[in-house]
Amino acid sequence: MEETLLITKALSDGTRLRIISALKGGELCVCQVVELLKLAPSTVSRHLHILSASGLIRSRKDTRWVYYRLADAGSPKKAARALKWVQGALEGDASIIQDSQALKKITRVSREALCRTQGKR
Amino acid sequence: MEETLLITKALSDGTRLRIISALKGGELCVCQVVELLKLAPSTVSRHLHILSASGLIRSRKDTRWVYYRLADAGSPKKAARALKWVQGALEGDASIIQDSQALKKITRVSREALCRTQGKR
DNA sequence: TTGACATTTCGTCATTTGACGAATTATAAT
DNA sequence: ATTATAATTCGTCAAATGACGAAATGTCAA
């Protein structure tokens, strides 16, 4: 029950549903998610932690950046099934579509706009 | 998004997951759910209302009793899919199994024990 | 080494949530 | 009619949750 509740609680927040949908297109670093959601980095980090603890997403640290992606083969089956369900439920959702539009711009210019260090080189 | 959030929020509570699992065996009246959960009737009523508002369960009023059942054919597709997922996620769960044992006793003697009026006749 | 930056952790605050009992509504028994 | 019962609604309280900024951590650049 605990494991399932971790998942349902993780899914019971609109911001976290947006994050899950945003990651459908592939991994993102925290600063990109921050840019999309327009929330404080600390807030976004907390949401990512909750999703991570539920097994719905995983993280990978590359030098100074941390990239998050949806649960995959190496993840618990329960998480994979939950993901499949919630993605179906959100299919065609207006705010999700809006986010995916915004994400296109972010992933295009993110390096210069968000990660100045990397952009300067 | 709103509709999906109603569902995920409804699923983000252990008591409500127990109710959903309890209804898998067929409809129950509020007093039977109260007996299973050992919570105040007003609390149970509130949980049932939240589940009802999300579309996951439906109610039927029969004279003095209100019976709740899982969403069925006449219910929104989104709810049906959510139900299917969560039931799978809870399959084999220890506390759910325990509840189903307790439910057997409740549905057997409920009339006399819980609904004295009906029992007396 | 020193400074800058991405991310996380922590403390605080406002809002939401779950539990309860009291009061209310609707229905049935006497 | 009056009383009793099943269920709901409402007000209150404690606990959980989400948002933020400040401080801490870890990594890279100069």
Side-chain angles (χ1 to χ4, degrees):
Chain A
M1 168 81 97
E2 279 317 311
E3 192 186 351
T4 301
L5 265 178
L6 271 180
I7 292 176
T8 56
K9 280 172 187 276
L11 294 175
S12 70
D13 174 88
T15 299
R16 292 196 287 271
L17 294 185
R18 290 175 65 196
I19 292 175
I20 288 175
S21 298
L23 293 179
K24 212 178 170 187
E27 68 179 12
L28 296 172
C29 75
V30 179
C31 64
Q32 291 175 309
V33 181
V34 166
E35 182 67 14
L36 172 69
L37 300 175
K38 313 274 190 200
L39 289 174
S42 61
T43 303
V44 172
S45 181
R46 174 133 196 76
H47 282 303
L48 289 167
H49 175 77
I50 291 170
L51 285 168
S52 224
S54 76
L56 291 169
I57 69 174
R58 321 203 82 195
S59 65
R60 165 179 81 84
K61 185 164 189 170
D62 179 33
T63 71
R64 208 187 306 188
W65 292 275
V66 178
Y67 290 88
Y68 285 88
R69 65 182 184 283
L70 294 180
D72 47 33
S75 308
K77 194 172 266 184
K78 218 168 239 192
R81 291 187 185 152
L83 268 187
K84 195 173 280 186
W85 164 67
V86 76
Q87 285 177 341
L90 291 172
E91 210 165 54
D93 182 275
S95 46
I96 296 301
I97 291 174
Q98 205 169 347
D99 278 351
S100 77
Q101 297 301 323
L103 248 189
K104 279 181 195 167
K105 292 184 189 171
I106 290 171
T107 51
R108 207 180 301 137
V109 301
S110 67
R111 291 317 176 200
E112 302 90 74
L114 308 169
C115 307
R116 264 165 274 159
T117 305
Q118 189 168 3
K120 275 188 200 151
R121 295 206 285 112
Chain B
M1 170 81 97
E2 279 317 310
E3 192 186 350
T4 302
L5 265 178
L6 271 179
I7 292 175
T8 57
K9 280 173 186 278
L11 294 176
S12 70
D13 175 88
T15 299
R16 291 194 288 269
L17 294 186
R18 290 175 66 195
I19 293 175
I20 288 176
S21 298
L23 293 179
K24 212 181 169 185
E27 68 179 13
L28 296 171
C29 74
V30 180
C31 63
Q32 291 174 309
V33 181
V34 166
E35 181 69 12
L36 173 68
L37 300 176
K38 313 276 191 199
L39 289 174
S42 60
T43 302
V44 172
S45 181
R46 174 133 195 75
H47 282 303
L48 289 167
H49 175 77
I50 291 170
L51 285 167
S52 224
S54 76
L56 291 168
I57 68 175
R58 322 204 67 171
S59 65
R60 166 179 82 82
K61 184 162 189 173
D62 178 34
T63 68
R64 205 187 310 190
W65 293 276
V66 177
Y67 290 89
Y68 286 89
R69 64 181 185 283
L70 294 180
D72 49 33
S75 308
K77 194 172 267 184
K78 217 169 243 193
R81 291 184 184 155
L83 267 187
K84 195 173 282 185
W85 165 67
V86 77
Q87 286 178 340
L90 291 173
E91 208 164 55
D93 182 276
S95 46
I96 296 302
I97 292 175
Q98 205 168 347
D99 278 352
S100 77
Q101 296 302 322
L103 249 189
K104 279 181 194 168
K105 292 184 188 170
I106 291 171
T107 52
R108 206 178 304 135
V109 302
S110 68
R111 290 318 177 202
E112 301 90 75
L114 308 168
C115 306
R116 262 166 275 161
T117 305
Q118 188 167 6
K120 274 188 200 153
R121 297 207 285 113

